[in-house]
Amino acid sequence: MASVGVNDKSAPIRIEVKDLRKSFGAFAALDGVSFTVQPGELLALLGPSGSGKTTLLRAIAGLSPAEEGTIHFNDEEATTLSLRERRVGFVFQHYALFRHMTVFDNIAFGLRVRPRRERPAESEITQRARRLLEFVQLGGLEKRFPAQLSGGQRQRVALARALAIEPNLLLLDEPFGALDAKVRKELRAWLKDVHRETGLTTLFVTHDQEEALELADRVVIMRNGRIEQIGTPSEVYEEPATHFVCEFLGNVSKFDCTIRDGEAEVAGSLFPVSEDNGLNGPGVAYVRPHEFEIVIDEHGEGLPATVKSVRPFGPTVSVELELAGREGPIEIAVPRELIGLGDVQPHRTVHIRATAARIFAAG
Amino acid sequence: MQFISTSPRLANVSEPLTVRFLLLGLTLVYLLAMLVLPLGVIFVEAFRKGYETYAASLLTDDSIAAIQLTLLVTAIAVPANIIFGLAASWSIAKYQFKGKSFLITLIDLPFSVSPVVAGLIYVLMFGAQGYLGPYLQAHHIQIIFAVPGVVLATIFLTFPFVARQLIPLMQAQGNDDEEAALSLGAGGLRTFFSVTLPNVRWALLYGVLLCNARAMGEFGAVSIVSGHIRGKTNTMPLHVEILYNEYNFVAAFAVASLLAFLALVTLCLKTALEWRYSGELAVSRGH
Amino acid sequence: MSLTEHQRRPWRTPSVLPGFGVTFGFSMFWLGLIVLIPLAGIFTWAASLGFSDFFSILADPRILEALKLSFGGALIGAFVNTLVGPVVAWVLVRYEFYGRGIVDAVIDLPFALPTAVAGLALAALYAPNGWLGAPLADAGIKVIFTPLGVIIALTFIGLPFVVRTLQPVLADLEPEIEEAAATLGATRWQTIRKILLPALLPTLLTGFALAFARAVGEYGSVIFIAGNLPYKSEIAPLLIIIKLEEFNYPAATAIAAIMLVMSFLILLIVNLLQGWARRSTGYAG
């Protein structure tokens, strides 16, 4: 950290959010949200639009305070602090750069507006801004105006500007939302580096599950102002806590099933059902594309299915199938070798079987 | 304390409540002194000697003649500008040609000319020593110090009102509707009256409203070309000046109150149009 | 080949819509008849005077004083409005309070009120026994028949130009800009001074220019409150009328021509400033 000279402050802070509530009219944007962010953690707030993730981020920043609940930075109550005292590095979705200032002046702004006795000397400000420019790989562009930069470059300036105030924590609202696909990928890797080098406790909001799972140490999945699940990317992916998490994280096929004596049959296989879903009753099962296998033997087990289309791109082959008695096609991913056999072709009937499933009581 | 709030989005970065109260208070006091009091004083002065004196001073022959002339001038100037505005906006907005923005600037020109200068140019043209003066005199045609001069000056100063409302709106609406109507077999005039005109009717009304208010209230230019002949070339604003200069204050304010009332009605209609058709009018007003 | 193509490129792009010839022809005819030819007349008149005549007319101290008052008063009025207008626009755009719609409509009063009526009202209001004139007189300030009265009238008519120009721009500013400044530790005052004012500068200049242009040529709302004392409270447009009444066309024309030229020069300077402000602030005006 100190070697980069970007964040010379002491250890990163822990954030503790307790029972946060906020409503806009009758709509509850935050409906009792509690969680803890560990020092130095990179946390993603993931959810569909209207789930309350941006409201939560803005509440932590102090931009729109919650009506109830507390936020602690380490052991300090943050809800009573002013924006200036919170020292939060906030990166806005559309960057909110000051258009009439050069890149350099944008970055130096946070230092220049400090009260005189806290303000660093102009030479030190210059030095710090230069260092930050190098850090975000924009050295030499300090005299440009924001309008003369690309989207990705603006994003970097916004981050450098936020880092200049030596923030306690870093908050990013949809950091890649306004960028095209290629730049998004580049900046994603870069943000990971930035986080590693600054060591700051960092929260970012996204509606893109791939982004959240790839970048974050832990993911907070939100819906209707509540937290559905908190966990590492593999936890939320492999062991989703609710229907919603299951459906929201990636591609799944949904099956209706019946739970009988703690077991349920899904797509030709029998699976145990965890006890908290009850021993008997209607259930819902979710199967991901790679959790199917194709049984080539015509008289074998499994469900008969008709191949609709085959998309042989990438390491696995994506096959779209129609099942008798089920509305809408399902998508499965199978190893490439299978195609070579020539059995998986449009209009042919194959048999499929699920190798794994997540089953919940219905309703 | 709900009396004054900011938009919820900016609540947390806005000014402290005391500053907000201060700014609002200053604004209200300033607007009251600068804008509302002048309006109020007109009506108070007009009715200072009671309703009967007010009515009597409006019902003199000269006042009635002034009202009639104002109505006549407006009845000529407004339709003239509607016809020009429609023709100009149709030819400018619906076709592509070079020099268009320059042409729009020329149409806007009368807005940046002093009313007095506007009057002067007609005197230089048609006055006794003007370019056409000798010819007009030889043929006993009087324009300056007569009604035609008043009409001309009024048309000049209200020239851009209708056109500048319609041009940006027609440009924004494009030609699709007209082309559709033509392809369905409608003729040019039919297309204009049943497609184009309904599309711009509220903007047209808005322009006519402003044009009308200005036409009835025009003073500087009319003052030069009219010659202030009582009962003949005196419009209402000119009549106000004459009465004032004769120290007939109640009558001056009585006639002024009619014009002020007209301004209030215009403001109300204008505000109503803006609320009701804000989207349509925003195109023109953002101009 | 490409050259001939270029030369043949028509002045007007062909269109299926009928009626261009008639409407365009009529518009040009009417524009020429009502606006262009009469306006051109003023310059041919002025040109026929010759330089020495022209400047000897303008050297008349009475005319010089009137021009000074018209331009000085217009500049001061526009300046006052450039100070007050942003506050009014800010309150109307940013604050929600009862009666905001009415207050917003009131801004247009100077547009809607006939100038003679406004002038009459201002004269009555600031007369020594008027609602505002009496307290001001007690304080030893005389408004009516002084340059101060002229300035007040020119401020009155200029206000809506500044407010109406600013309002849409203020409403369109992204709130995130102000939030960003706040998270970076700026106080509200610092945000206004360093972020909002530079963003509004080009628009403020536009409002200034519009208010000024209107005020220079203003006649009706000024003459009643001004009292029109030569060398003291006589404005240039009034002097044009006086010269015309004396059938002194050359003097009237010279004053009008110099007013047009000076207005044009000042607006040109404002335009250049605006271009500079827009370039250096990145904000459109």
Side-chain angles (χ1 to χ4, degrees), chain A residues 99, chain B residues 286-287, chain C residues 161-162 164-170 172-173 197-210 270-271 273-285:
Chain A
R99 274 186 277 176
Chain B
H287 190 55
Chain C
F161 289 93
V162 178
R164 291 290 183 243
T165 317
L166 275 173
Q167 271 178 313
V169 179
L170 207 49
D172 282 347
L173 282 184
L197 277 183
L200 293 175
L201 187 63
T203 317
L204 268 175
L205 283 172
T206 306
F208 178 89
L210 291 173
V270 171
N271 240 315
L273 276 177
Q274 229 178 345
W276 163 80
R278 199 173 295 160
R279 271 193 308 281
S280 67
T281 63
Y283 288 91

mmCIF file of all heavy atoms in Angstrom, chain A residues 99, chain B residues 286-287, chain C residues 161-162 164-170 172-173 197-210 270-271 273-285:
data_model
loop_
_atom_site.group_PDB
_atom_site.id
_atom_site.type_symbol
_atom_site.label_atom_id
_atom_site.label_comp_id
_atom_site.label_asym_id
_atom_site.label_seq_id
_atom_site.Cartn_x
_atom_site.Cartn_y
_atom_site.Cartn_z
ATOM 1 N N ARG A 99 -17.020 19.281 -15.470
ATOM 2 C CA ARG A 99 -16.685 19.446 -16.880
ATOM 3 C C ARG A 99 -15.795 20.645 -17.152
ATOM 4 O O ARG A 99 -15.105 20.685 -18.156
ATOM 5 C CB ARG A 99 -17.981 19.604 -17.695
ATOM 6 C CG ARG A 99 -18.565 18.271 -18.093
ATOM 7 C CD ARG A 99 -19.731 18.476 -19.009
ATOM 8 N NE ARG A 99 -20.941 18.768 -18.242
ATOM 9 C CZ ARG A 99 -22.098 19.072 -18.812
ATOM 10 N NH1 ARG A 99 -22.177 19.153 -20.108
ATOM 11 N NH2 ARG A 99 -23.154 19.315 -18.065
ATOM 12 N N GLY B 286 -37.498 26.223 -25.529
ATOM 13 C CA GLY B 286 -36.092 25.958 -25.254
ATOM 14 C C GLY B 286 -35.201 26.632 -26.270
ATOM 15 O O GLY B 286 -34.004 26.466 -26.283
ATOM 16 N N HIS B 287 -35.796 27.420 -27.098
ATOM 17 C CA HIS B 287 -35.118 27.997 -28.251
ATOM 18 C C HIS B 287 -34.512 29.330 -27.884
ATOM 19 O O HIS B 287 -35.199 30.172 -27.368
ATOM 20 C CB HIS B 287 -36.177 28.145 -29.339
ATOM 21 C CG HIS B 287 -35.623 28.492 -30.673
ATOM 22 N ND1 HIS B 287 -34.658 27.736 -31.263
ATOM 23 C CD2 HIS B 287 -35.918 29.474 -31.526
ATOM 24 C CE1 HIS B 287 -34.373 28.259 -32.441
ATOM 25 N NE2 HIS B 287 -35.120 29.308 -32.625
ATOM 26 N N PHE C 161 -35.642 38.032 -18.716
ATOM 27 C CA PHE C 161 -34.670 37.494 -19.678
ATOM 28 C C PHE C 161 -33.638 36.625 -18.969
ATOM 29 O O PHE C 161 -33.310 35.532 -19.409
ATOM 30 C CB PHE C 161 -33.966 38.635 -20.425
ATOM 31 C CG PHE C 161 -34.851 39.343 -21.398
ATOM 32 C CD1 PHE C 161 -35.543 40.480 -21.023
ATOM 33 C CD2 PHE C 161 -35.012 38.868 -22.683
ATOM 34 C CE1 PHE C 161 -36.388 41.128 -21.913
ATOM 35 C CE2 PHE C 161 -35.841 39.507 -23.581
ATOM 36 C CZ PHE C 161 -36.530 40.649 -23.195
ATOM 37 N N VAL C 162 -33.131 37.117 -17.840
ATOM 38 C CA VAL C 162 -32.101 36.368 -17.120
ATOM 39 C C VAL C 162 -32.706 35.111 -16.475
ATOM 40 O O VAL C 162 -32.187 34.009 -16.613
ATOM 41 C CB VAL C 162 -31.431 37.255 -16.056
ATOM 42 C CG1 VAL C 162 -30.410 36.459 -15.278
ATOM 43 C CG2 VAL C 162 -30.780 38.452 -16.710
ATOM 44 N N ARG C 164 -35.534 33.441 -17.145
ATOM 45 C CA ARG C 164 -36.025 32.442 -18.087
ATOM 46 C C ARG C 164 -34.896 31.735 -18.834
ATOM 47 O O ARG C 164 -35.056 30.621 -19.298
ATOM 48 C CB ARG C 164 -36.995 33.079 -19.087
ATOM 49 C CG ARG C 164 -38.307 33.501 -18.462
ATOM 50 C CD ARG C 164 -39.139 32.291 -18.073
ATOM 51 N NE ARG C 164 -40.429 32.683 -17.538
ATOM 52 C CZ ARG C 164 -40.826 32.428 -16.290
ATOM 53 N NH1 ARG C 164 -40.030 31.782 -15.459
ATOM 54 N NH2 ARG C 164 -42.015 32.792 -15.876
ATOM 55 N N THR C 165 -33.765 32.406 -19.000
ATOM 56 C CA THR C 165 -32.635 31.753 -19.653
ATOM 57 C C THR C 165 -31.993 30.743 -18.710
ATOM 58 O O THR C 165 -31.567 29.672 -19.121
ATOM 59 C CB THR C 165 -31.571 32.795 -20.077
ATOM 60 O OG1 THR C 165 -32.241 33.911 -20.639
ATOM 61 C CG2 THR C 165 -30.627 32.222 -21.098
ATOM 62 N N LEU C 166 -31.938 31.104 -17.423
ATOM 63 C CA LEU C 166 -31.245 30.252 -16.458
ATOM 64 C C LEU C 166 -32.048 29.020 -16.075
ATOM 65 O O LEU C 166 -31.486 27.945 -15.876
ATOM 66 C CB LEU C 166 -30.946 31.052 -15.188
ATOM 67 C CG LEU C 166 -29.680 31.877 -15.182
ATOM 68 C CD1 LEU C 166 -29.649 32.732 -13.925
ATOM 69 C CD2 LEU C 166 -28.456 30.979 -15.211
ATOM 70 N N GLN C 167 -33.369 29.191 -15.930
ATOM 71 C CA GLN C 167 -34.186 28.115 -15.365
ATOM 72 C C GLN C 167 -33.968 26.745 -16.017
ATOM 73 O O GLN C 167 -33.677 25.781 -15.301
ATOM 74 C CB GLN C 167 -35.668 28.490 -15.415
ATOM 75 C CG GLN C 167 -36.109 29.233 -14.157
ATOM 76 C CD GLN C 167 -37.547 29.641 -14.210
ATOM 77 O OE1 GLN C 167 -38.012 30.182 -15.208
ATOM 78 N NE2 GLN C 167 -38.278 29.384 -13.146
ATOM 79 N N PRO C 168 -34.117 26.625 -17.337
ATOM 80 C CA PRO C 168 -33.969 25.275 -17.902
ATOM 81 C C PRO C 168 -32.566 24.707 -17.694
ATOM 82 O O PRO C 168 -32.415 23.510 -17.477
ATOM 83 C CB PRO C 168 -34.277 25.472 -19.391
ATOM 84 C CG PRO C 168 -34.212 26.921 -19.642
ATOM 85 C CD PRO C 168 -34.480 27.613 -18.359
ATOM 86 N N VAL C 169 -31.553 25.560 -17.753
ATOM 87 C CA VAL C 169 -30.183 25.064 -17.592
ATOM 88 C C VAL C 169 -29.969 24.570 -16.168
ATOM 89 O O VAL C 169 -29.383 23.511 -15.929
ATOM 90 C CB VAL C 169 -29.180 26.179 -17.938
ATOM 91 C CG1 VAL C 169 -27.756 25.684 -17.759
ATOM 92 C CG2 VAL C 169 -29.392 26.657 -19.355
ATOM 93 N N LEU C 170 -30.490 25.336 -15.219
ATOM 94 C CA LEU C 170 -30.364 24.950 -13.810
ATOM 95 C C LEU C 170 -31.089 23.635 -13.559
ATOM 96 O O LEU C 170 -30.605 22.757 -12.829
ATOM 97 C CB LEU C 170 -30.979 26.063 -12.958
ATOM 98 C CG LEU C 170 -30.484 26.275 -11.550
ATOM 99 C CD1 LEU C 170 -28.979 26.323 -11.511
ATOM 100 C CD2 LEU C 170 -31.067 27.573 -11.004
ATOM 101 N N ASP C 172 -31.526 21.286 -15.613
ATOM 102 C CA ASP C 172 -30.885 20.165 -16.294
ATOM 103 C C ASP C 172 -29.542 19.768 -15.697
ATOM 104 O O ASP C 172 -28.959 18.773 -16.117
ATOM 105 C CB ASP C 172 -30.669 20.502 -17.784
ATOM 106 C CG ASP C 172 -31.971 20.362 -18.559
ATOM 107 O OD1 ASP C 172 -32.913 19.779 -17.992
ATOM 108 O OD2 ASP C 172 -32.033 20.818 -19.704
ATOM 109 N N LEU C 173 -29.029 20.548 -14.750
ATOM 110 C CA LEU C 173 -27.736 20.177 -14.146
ATOM 111 C C LEU C 173 -27.878 18.837 -13.438
ATOM 112 O O LEU C 173 -28.836 18.615 -12.712
ATOM 113 C CB LEU C 173 -27.307 21.230 -13.132
ATOM 114 C CG LEU C 173 -26.718 22.526 -13.657
ATOM 115 C CD1 LEU C 173 -26.277 23.386 -12.476
ATOM 116 C CD2 LEU C 173 -25.528 22.267 -14.553
ATOM 117 N N LEU C 197 -21.371 27.893 -10.276
ATOM 118 C CA LEU C 197 -21.231 29.167 -10.989
ATOM 119 C C LEU C 197 -20.487 29.016 -12.314
ATOM 120 O O LEU C 197 -20.948 29.529 -13.330
ATOM 121 C CB LEU C 197 -20.567 30.218 -10.093
ATOM 122 C CG LEU C 197 -21.528 30.940 -9.143
ATOM 123 C CD1 LEU C 197 -20.794 32.012 -8.353
ATOM 124 C CD2 LEU C 197 -22.683 31.560 -9.912
ATOM 125 N N PRO C 198 -19.354 28.317 -12.341
ATOM 126 C CA PRO C 198 -18.709 28.115 -13.641
ATOM 127 C C PRO C 198 -19.614 27.394 -14.633
ATOM 128 O O PRO C 198 -19.609 27.702 -15.826
ATOM 129 C CB PRO C 198 -17.488 27.250 -13.311
ATOM 130 C CG PRO C 198 -17.225 27.494 -11.882
ATOM 131 C CD PRO C 198 -18.552 27.769 -11.239
ATOM 132 N N ALA C 199 -20.434 26.468 -14.127
ATOM 133 C CA ALA C 199 -21.321 25.744 -15.031
ATOM 134 C C ALA C 199 -22.382 26.662 -15.609
ATOM 135 O O ALA C 199 -22.841 26.475 -16.727
ATOM 136 C CB ALA C 199 -21.979 24.576 -14.297
ATOM 137 N N LEU C 200 -22.768 27.674 -14.842
ATOM 138 C CA LEU C 200 -23.844 28.560 -15.289
ATOM 139 C C LEU C 200 -23.335 29.798 -16.019
ATOM 140 O O LEU C 200 -24.112 30.570 -16.561
ATOM 141 C CB LEU C 200 -24.686 29.004 -14.086
ATOM 142 C CG LEU C 200 -25.478 27.896 -13.404
ATOM 143 C CD1 LEU C 200 -26.170 28.431 -12.165
ATOM 144 C CD2 LEU C 200 -26.515 27.316 -14.355
ATOM 145 N N LEU C 201 -22.012 29.988 -16.023
ATOM 146 C CA LEU C 201 -21.456 31.234 -16.557
ATOM 147 C C LEU C 201 -21.892 31.542 -17.999
ATOM 148 O O LEU C 201 -22.356 32.658 -18.268
ATOM 149 C CB LEU C 201 -19.928 31.215 -16.437
ATOM 150 C CG LEU C 201 -19.249 32.523 -16.813
ATOM 151 C CD1 LEU C 201 -19.674 33.630 -15.863
ATOM 152 C CD2 LEU C 201 -17.735 32.377 -16.815
ATOM 153 N N PRO C 202 -21.780 30.601 -18.936
ATOM 154 C CA PRO C 202 -22.203 30.931 -20.300
ATOM 155 C C PRO C 202 -23.672 31.340 -20.369
ATOM 156 O O PRO C 202 -24.035 32.270 -21.093
ATOM 157 C CB PRO C 202 -21.974 29.634 -21.076
ATOM 158 C CG PRO C 202 -21.020 28.845 -20.258
ATOM 159 C CD PRO C 202 -21.268 29.232 -18.830
ATOM 160 N N THR C 203 -24.512 30.653 -19.606
ATOM 161 C CA THR C 203 -25.935 30.987 -19.595
ATOM 162 C C THR C 203 -26.172 32.362 -18.995
ATOM 163 O O THR C 203 -27.024 33.124 -19.469
ATOM 164 C CB THR C 203 -26.703 29.942 -18.786
ATOM 165 O OG1 THR C 203 -26.218 28.664 -19.133
ATOM 166 C CG2 THR C 203 -28.174 30.021 -19.055
ATOM 167 N N LEU C 204 -25.414 32.678 -17.950
ATOM 168 C CA LEU C 204 -25.546 33.997 -17.334
ATOM 169 C C LEU C 204 -25.204 35.086 -18.344
ATOM 170 O O LEU C 204 -25.870 36.126 -18.401
ATOM 171 C CB LEU C 204 -24.606 34.105 -16.137
ATOM 172 C CG LEU C 204 -25.193 33.708 -14.787
ATOM 173 C CD1 LEU C 204 -24.117 33.744 -13.719
ATOM 174 C CD2 LEU C 204 -26.338 34.629 -14.421
ATOM 175 N N LEU C 205 -24.162 34.836 -19.127
ATOM 176 C CA LEU C 205 -23.778 35.818 -20.141
ATOM 177 C C LEU C 205 -24.877 35.983 -21.177
ATOM 178 O O LEU C 205 -25.165 37.101 -21.620
ATOM 179 C CB LEU C 205 -22.463 35.397 -20.809
ATOM 180 C CG LEU C 205 -21.216 35.645 -19.977
ATOM 181 C CD1 LEU C 205 -19.992 35.022 -20.633
ATOM 182 C CD2 LEU C 205 -20.990 37.141 -19.798
ATOM 183 N N THR C 206 -25.497 34.878 -21.571
ATOM 184 C CA THR C 206 -26.604 34.964 -22.519
ATOM 185 C C THR C 206 -27.726 35.818 -21.946
ATOM 186 O O THR C 206 -28.256 36.710 -22.613
ATOM 187 C CB THR C 206 -27.157 33.559 -22.831
ATOM 188 O OG1 THR C 206 -26.090 32.733 -23.252
ATOM 189 C CG2 THR C 206 -28.224 33.621 -23.902
ATOM 190 N N GLY C 207 -28.074 35.541 -20.688
ATOM 191 C CA GLY C 207 -29.139 36.305 -20.037
ATOM 192 C C GLY C 207 -28.777 37.777 -19.966
ATOM 193 O O GLY C 207 -29.607 38.655 -20.238
ATOM 194 N N PHE C 208 -27.531 38.055 -19.629
ATOM 195 C CA PHE C 208 -27.050 39.434 -19.568
ATOM 196 C C PHE C 208 -27.235 40.115 -20.917
ATOM 197 O O PHE C 208 -27.756 41.227 -21.012
ATOM 198 C CB PHE C 208 -25.574 39.444 -19.157
ATOM 199 C CG PHE C 208 -24.969 40.811 -19.100
ATOM 200 C CD1 PHE C 208 -25.017 41.549 -17.927
ATOM 201 C CD2 PHE C 208 -24.362 41.365 -20.210
ATOM 202 C CE1 PHE C 208 -24.468 42.822 -17.871
ATOM 203 C CE2 PHE C 208 -23.806 42.633 -20.171
ATOM 204 C CZ PHE C 208 -23.852 43.364 -18.992
ATOM 205 N N ALA C 209 -26.812 39.424 -21.967
ATOM 206 C CA ALA C 209 -26.883 40.006 -23.310
ATOM 207 C C ALA C 209 -28.323 40.309 -23.694
ATOM 208 O O ALA C 209 -28.630 41.385 -24.233
ATOM 209 C CB ALA C 209 -26.252 39.059 -24.331
ATOM 210 N N LEU C 210 -29.233 39.375 -23.401
ATOM 211 C CA LEU C 210 -30.634 39.584 -23.770
ATOM 212 C C LEU C 210 -31.230 40.761 -22.994
ATOM 213 O O LEU C 210 -31.924 41.610 -23.567
ATOM 214 C CB LEU C 210 -31.439 38.317 -23.484
ATOM 215 C CG LEU C 210 -31.139 37.111 -24.373
ATOM 216 C CD1 LEU C 210 -31.869 35.871 -23.873
ATOM 217 C CD2 LEU C 210 -31.525 37.410 -25.808
ATOM 218 N N VAL C 270 -20.039 40.189 -26.000
ATOM 219 C CA VAL C 270 -20.659 39.186 -25.121
ATOM 220 C C VAL C 270 -20.592 37.806 -25.779
ATOM 221 O O VAL C 270 -20.317 36.803 -25.129
ATOM 222 C CB VAL C 270 -22.112 39.571 -24.799
ATOM 223 C CG1 VAL C 270 -22.821 38.432 -24.087
ATOM 224 C CG2 VAL C 270 -22.144 40.813 -23.937
ATOM 225 N N ASN C 271 -20.829 37.790 -27.098
ATOM 226 C CA ASN C 271 -20.774 36.526 -27.826
ATOM 227 C C ASN C 271 -19.398 35.891 -27.749
ATOM 228 O O ASN C 271 -19.260 34.684 -27.556
ATOM 229 C CB ASN C 271 -21.114 36.784 -29.297
ATOM 230 C CG ASN C 271 -22.322 35.994 -29.701
ATOM 231 O OD1 ASN C 271 -22.429 34.815 -29.372
ATOM 232 N ND2 ASN C 271 -23.254 36.635 -30.364
ATOM 233 N N LEU C 273 -17.143 36.464 -25.407
ATOM 234 C CA LEU C 273 -16.974 36.028 -24.025
ATOM 235 C C LEU C 273 -17.660 34.682 -23.797
ATOM 236 O O LEU C 273 -17.119 33.787 -23.158
ATOM 237 C CB LEU C 273 -17.595 37.061 -23.072
ATOM 238 C CG LEU C 273 -16.751 38.258 -22.691
ATOM 239 C CD1 LEU C 273 -17.546 39.200 -21.822
ATOM 240 C CD2 LEU C 273 -15.507 37.783 -21.952
ATOM 241 N N GLN C 274 -18.864 34.590 -24.372
ATOM 242 C CA GLN C 274 -19.638 33.377 -24.213
ATOM 243 C C GLN C 274 -18.914 32.181 -24.820
ATOM 244 O O GLN C 274 -18.841 31.118 -24.217
ATOM 245 C CB GLN C 274 -20.941 33.565 -24.957
ATOM 246 C CG GLN C 274 -22.129 33.210 -24.170
ATOM 247 C CD GLN C 274 -23.363 33.495 -25.001
ATOM 248 O OE1 GLN C 274 -23.312 34.191 -26.017
ATOM 249 N NE2 GLN C 274 -24.445 32.946 -24.583
ATOM 250 N N GLY C 275 -18.388 32.395 -26.011
ATOM 251 C CA GLY C 275 -17.636 31.334 -26.670
ATOM 252 C C GLY C 275 -16.454 30.923 -25.813
ATOM 253 O O GLY C 275 -16.195 29.736 -25.604
ATOM 254 N N TRP C 276 -15.778 31.918 -25.239
ATOM 255 C CA TRP C 276 -14.635 31.625 -24.390
ATOM 256 C C TRP C 276 -15.088 30.832 -23.158
ATOM 257 O O TRP C 276 -14.502 29.824 -22.796
ATOM 258 C CB TRP C 276 -13.963 32.936 -23.978
ATOM 259 C CG TRP C 276 -13.053 32.769 -22.814
ATOM 260 C CD1 TRP C 276 -11.773 32.281 -22.849
ATOM 261 C CD2 TRP C 276 -13.347 33.047 -21.446
ATOM 262 N NE1 TRP C 276 -11.260 32.234 -21.592
ATOM 263 C CE2 TRP C 276 -12.197 32.699 -20.707
ATOM 264 C CE3 TRP C 276 -14.463 33.554 -20.784
ATOM 265 C CZ2 TRP C 276 -12.150 32.844 -19.324
ATOM 266 C CZ3 TRP C 276 -14.411 33.698 -19.418
ATOM 267 C CH2 TRP C 276 -13.260 33.341 -18.701
ATOM 268 N N ALA C 277 -16.185 31.322 -22.532
ATOM 269 C CA ALA C 277 -16.665 30.652 -21.324
ATOM 270 C C ALA C 277 -17.085 29.224 -21.628
ATOM 271 O O ALA C 277 -16.819 28.299 -20.869
ATOM 272 C CB ALA C 277 -17.840 31.430 -20.723
ATOM 273 N N ARG C 278 -17.735 29.045 -22.767
ATOM 274 C CA ARG C 278 -18.220 27.714 -23.108
ATOM 275 C C ARG C 278 -17.045 26.774 -23.353
ATOM 276 O O ARG C 278 -17.048 25.647 -22.903
ATOM 277 C CB ARG C 278 -19.082 27.825 -24.362
ATOM 278 C CG ARG C 278 -19.988 26.646 -24.567
ATOM 279 C CD ARG C 278 -20.921 26.909 -25.709
ATOM 280 N NE ARG C 278 -21.825 28.009 -25.415
ATOM 281 C CZ ARG C 278 -22.470 28.686 -26.365
ATOM 282 N NH1 ARG C 278 -22.273 28.407 -27.629
ATOM 283 N NH2 ARG C 278 -23.288 29.655 -26.036
ATOM 284 N N ARG C 279 -16.045 27.287 -24.051
ATOM 285 C CA ARG C 279 -14.880 26.428 -24.306
ATOM 286 C C ARG C 279 -14.176 26.079 -23.007
ATOM 287 O O ARG C 279 -13.804 24.938 -22.779
ATOM 288 C CB ARG C 279 -13.906 27.137 -25.248
ATOM 289 C CG ARG C 279 -14.182 26.887 -26.707
ATOM 290 C CD ARG C 279 -13.020 27.337 -27.562
ATOM 291 N NE ARG C 279 -12.609 28.713 -27.296
ATOM 292 C CZ ARG C 279 -13.251 29.780 -27.779
ATOM 293 N NH1 ARG C 279 -14.297 29.610 -28.536
ATOM 294 N NH2 ARG C 279 -12.835 30.997 -27.505
ATOM 295 N N SER C 280 -13.997 27.081 -22.146
ATOM 296 C CA SER C 280 -13.193 26.823 -20.959
ATOM 297 C C SER C 280 -13.999 26.159 -19.861
ATOM 298 O O SER C 280 -13.451 25.738 -18.863
ATOM 299 C CB SER C 280 -12.580 28.119 -20.443
ATOM 300 O OG SER C 280 -13.603 28.948 -19.967
ATOM 301 N N THR C 281 -15.311 26.059 -20.006
ATOM 302 C CA THR C 281 -16.072 25.394 -18.955
ATOM 303 C C THR C 281 -16.681 24.089 -19.436
ATOM 304 O O THR C 281 -17.131 23.296 -18.641
ATOM 305 C CB THR C 281 -17.234 26.272 -18.446
ATOM 306 O OG1 THR C 281 -18.131 26.480 -19.508
ATOM 307 C CG2 THR C 281 -16.735 27.581 -17.906
ATOM 308 N N GLY C 282 -16.687 23.869 -20.729
ATOM 309 C CA GLY C 282 -17.263 22.628 -21.213
ATOM 310 C C GLY C 282 -18.774 22.586 -21.106
ATOM 311 O O GLY C 282 -19.382 21.566 -21.357
ATOM 312 N N TYR C 283 -19.383 23.698 -20.715
ATOM 313 C CA TYR C 283 -20.840 23.713 -20.615
ATOM 314 C C TYR C 283 -21.419 24.551 -21.742
ATOM 315 O O TYR C 283 -20.935 25.627 -22.026
ATOM 316 C CB TYR C 283 -21.294 24.315 -19.283
ATOM 317 C CG TYR C 283 -21.049 23.423 -18.116
ATOM 318 C CD1 TYR C 283 -19.863 23.504 -17.399
ATOM 319 C CD2 TYR C 283 -21.992 22.487 -17.732
ATOM 320 C CE1 TYR C 283 -19.626 22.676 -16.320
ATOM 321 C CE2 TYR C 283 -21.768 21.661 -16.663
ATOM 322 C CZ TYR C 283 -20.594 21.761 -15.954
ATOM 323 O OH TYR C 283 -20.370 20.943 -14.895
ATOM 324 N N ALA C 284 -22.469 24.053 -22.345
ATOM 325 C CA ALA C 284 -23.139 24.837 -23.368
ATOM 326 C C ALA C 284 -23.987 25.896 -22.694
ATOM 327 O O ALA C 284 -24.484 25.680 -21.607
ATOM 328 C CB ALA C 284 -24.014 23.943 -24.229
ATOM 329 N N GLY C 285 -24.133 27.036 -23.342
ATOM 330 C CA GLY C 285 -24.933 28.115 -22.764
ATOM 331 C C GLY C 285 -26.311 28.116 -23.358
ATOM 332 O O GLY C 285 -26.690 29.029 -23.970
#
